[in-house]
Amino acid sequence: MHASEGIHAISRCFFGTLAILCITACFIGDTASAAEAKPPALFALGVISGAANDLSPAFSPDGRTVFFTRSNTSYSFILVSHRSGDRWSIPEIATFSGKWKDLEPAMAPDGSFLIFASNRPIAEGKGAGKGALDGVYNGKTYPGGGGNLWRVDRHGDRWGEPVRLPETINSNNGIFSPSIVSDGSLYFMQPDKDNGTFHLFRSAYQAGAYQTPVKVSVGDATTEEVDPAVAPDESFIVYSSRHPQQHDKNRLHIAFRRGSGWSEPIDLGDVVNEQGSNIEARLGPDHRTLYFSTNTVPPARMMPTLPQASHALEEMQVWANDNENIWYVSLAPWLDEHRAP
């Protein structure tokens, strides 16, 4: 479920030339200039990007394991898949997921822990209860649609039990989209107290504790910002932005560290931003590849031939059905041209 757009069975069938795409590796070249940026490509079509909503990939540092969200209107699970050569394994529900609506895993840069959002009940303290967490944002109440951030630690090749982050982070029931940087500081999104629209926040991690979150200085009073993907060294941030009053679509932007603040955000343009939702920005393990989700589908052909219609049906059954799919694109054009000297 993506909090600002609503919560959205993998197809195991491979069709003709789609089988080639299903085993595509997750990285692409990054030699273009910004003016020559290449369009995004689908990630692991038919295996990870499938018929359900697939979003928010979180890679292990070596790039051989990925956790991601798969959801529909009833369920939201965190799945895990492993890469052998250029093939990704059939995803399985992560050992720490499957009971509640879990979503948006974020990997620590050293791979030692994950932080994810969930509607699982608060175990103790203020607001504790046994039922799923309700959410209040965008001017509405969403029964069972709340989100708090939880941490799960890796122990060798196993994962422990999730632990809810402290009230410093989970100050309300609309905390989503974590991003972890090298010093342990945490970026996330939460709703504005006055109008319920989402903005980005950063909580510094100092002396083993999260500090009071501070709003990230991107966007303005007319915009909503969601889904931060922050470089481990905090040299740049990619996120989605829109103008809620204009009823426009989320578009991906990048901003660069300038002293203690951020540069003017740069829209990644129509080559990257699809006609759909453009949400859930994440960085690959090379920190130069952007992953995001969109519900864009191929445009219709006028009077398709029978082979063209059959191909469209095959795509529809695998991925092109208005649900979210994971795409990837190189950020090298922007990183090479706009990073501070």
Side-chain angles (χ1 to χ4, degrees):
M1 179 199 305
H2 185 270
S4 65
E5 303 229 352
I7 294 184
H8 287 140
I10 185 170
S11 171
R12 300 181 187 270
C13 297
F14 289 58
F15 302 100
T17 58
L18 290 180
I20 298 174
L21 295 174
C22 290
I23 59 174
T24 300
C26 61
F27 306 114
I28 59 177
D30 58 4
T31 59
S33 68
E36 300 169 342
K38 296 180 180 178
L42 271 165
F43 173 50
L45 175 59
V47 178
I48 292 175
S49 292
N53 292 292
D54 296 304
L55 316 96
S56 58
F59 293 91
S60 59
D62 64 5
R64 302 189 68 82
T65 298
V66 63
F67 293 85
F68 65 99
T69 307
R70 176 164 291 165
S71 67
N72 59 20
T73 55
S74 296
Y75 297 99
S76 182
F77 302 134
I78 293 175
L79 304 188
V80 60
S81 176
H82 304 282
R83 183 162 63 94
S84 177
D86 58 358
R87 295 176 181 268
W88 288 95
S89 66
I90 298 298
E92 299 178 344
I93 297 175
T95 55
F96 52 84
S97 187
K99 184 175 181 180
W100 304 98
K101 288 185 176 179
D102 301 326
L103 63 157
E104 299 174 329
M107 183 75 71
D110 65 1
S112 64
F113 66 93
L114 281 166
I115 293 177
F116 63 96
S118 179
N119 74 341
R120 57 185 64 199
I122 300 172
E124 58 185 17
K126 184 180 70 175
K130 296 181 179 180
L133 198 65
D134 295 334
V136 181
Y137 41 83
N138 291 330
K140 299 179 181 179
T141 298
Y142 298 86
N148 274 182
L149 299 186
W150 294 69
R151 170 173 167 156
V152 59
D153 291 341
R154 180 172 59 82
H155 305 287
D157 59 354
R158 300 172 61 187
W159 291 86
E161 291 297 319
V163 176
R164 183 174 175 270
L165 294 190
E167 295 294 322
T168 305
I169 301 297
N170 290 316
S171 60
N172 62 76
N173 293 354
I175 311 296
F176 296 97
S177 289
S179 182
I180 311 161
V181 298
S182 292
D183 69 358
S185 297
L186 183 65
Y187 288 74
F188 58 93
M189 65 186 240
Q190 68 176 345
D192 185 282
K193 293 180 180 179
D194 295 326
N195 57 25
T197 59
F198 282 95
H199 298 289
L200 307 183
F201 287 79
R202 177 185 186 271
S203 174
Y205 191 71
Q206 299 174 356
Y210 290 109
Q211 307 302 302
T212 301
V214 176
K215 188 176 179 181
V216 179
S217 58
V218 295
D220 56 41
T222 70
T223 59
E224 177 178 67
E225 294 80 44
V226 299
D227 302 337
V230 188
D233 63 0
E234 297 184 90
S235 58
F236 67 91
I237 180 174
V238 181
Y239 65 97
S240 296
S241 181
R242 70 185 185 100
H243 297 81
Q245 299 305 315
Q246 298 178 16
H247 305 289
D248 56 351
K249 297 284 188 180
N250 275 302
R251 290 180 64 86
L252 294 160
H253 293 69
I254 188 170
F256 294 87
R257 174 65 69 182
R258 294 293 183 264
S260 60
W262 297 94
S263 69
E264 186 71 20
I266 301 166
D267 188 304
L268 292 187
D270 291 340
V271 173
V272 175
N273 282 294
E274 304 282 347
Q275 294 298 311
S277 50
N278 303 302
I279 57 174
E280 300 289 3
R282 296 293 187 275
L283 297 179
D286 63 354
H287 308 141
R288 293 173 68 85
T289 303
L290 174 68
Y291 293 79
F292 67 98
S293 290
T294 180
N295 56 359
T296 296
V297 300
R301 293 175 179 267
M302 293 297 293
M303 302 294 291
T305 63
L306 182 57
Q308 290 171 340
S310 297
H311 180 69
L313 178 60
E314 292 167 353
E315 288 185 319
M316 194 184 307
Q317 292 170 322
V318 175
W319 70 277
N321 56 9
D322 296 313
N323 284 335
E324 302 287 345
N325 296 115
I326 300 172
W327 297 68
Y328 64 97
V329 67
S330 174
L331 285 174
W334 294 272
L335 300 183
D336 294 344
E337 291 189 5
H338 296 283
R339 181 172 289 175

